[in-house]
Amino acid sequence: QVQLVESGGGSVQTGGSLRLSCQASGYIVSTYCMGWFRQAPGSEREGVAAAYIGGAGTYYGDSVKGRFTISQDNAKNTLYLQMNSLKPEDTAMYYCAADLASCSPWWEGSWTDLHYWGQGTQVTVFS
């Protein structure tokens, strides 16, 4: 089992920045891919960014490319999402997720296939 705990959400003005953290614990050596999804009220869950654990490959959704950066600190078992130039449309609940086999759920939208989820952290961007 893998446990994921997010932190770092909050309210910020348009153009501001936030950094989300996802602390992983448990049998994390089994984790292949970790990343972030978000979901706004009335909207589909959207893959934001993902990273191959221990590798160099990353994925970003089109709506966040150039503004968000995913990174990992393996010594701390922590995944980060640096969010810059935030827009009101970035307002959503952000969830950390992990998969044992693939990063494809992030760009395929098959988030129901993912193995582990955090409880979510709210990000609100106001104009």
Side-chain angles (χ1 to χ4, degrees):
Q1 288 290 323
V2 174
Q3 293 80 42
L4 304 173
V5 179
E6 302 100 330
S7 61
S11 295
V12 65
Q13 200 167 16
T14 297
S17 298
L18 284 173
R19 188 177 80 157
L20 306 183
S21 299
C22 175
Q23 175 73 53
S25 61
Y27 193 56
I28 57 177
V29 294
S30 64
T31 304
Y32 181 82
C33 186
M34 288 182 65
W36 301 87
F37 278 80
R38 68 184 182 186
Q39 188 166 20
S43 298
E44 292 286 323
R45 194 163 293 196
E46 174 190 7
V48 176
Y52 293 92
I53 298 305
T58 57
Y59 162 82
Y60 293 97
D62 288 341
S63 61
V64 306
K65 282 180 182 175
R67 299 188 299 123
F68 291 11
T69 303
I70 191 169
S71 62
Q72 51 187 299
D73 185 332
N74 293 328
K76 296 181 178 179
N77 297 326
T78 302
L79 187 75
Y80 302 100
L81 185 68
Q82 178 66 42
M83 305 186 295
N84 298 328
S85 302
L86 283 162
K87 306 174 182 179
E89 50 263 45
D90 294 316
T91 295
M93 184 70 79
Y94 283 70
Y95 298 93
C96 180
D99 197 84
L100 303 179
S102 176
C103 283
S104 63
W106 271 267
W107 57 81
E108 291 178 352
S110 53
W111 55 270
T112 55
D113 294 341
L114 288 165
H115 293 97
Y116 302 108
W117 289 92
Q119 82 287 353
T121 186
Q122 178 68 37
V123 171
T124 302
V125 185
F126 57 91
S127 56

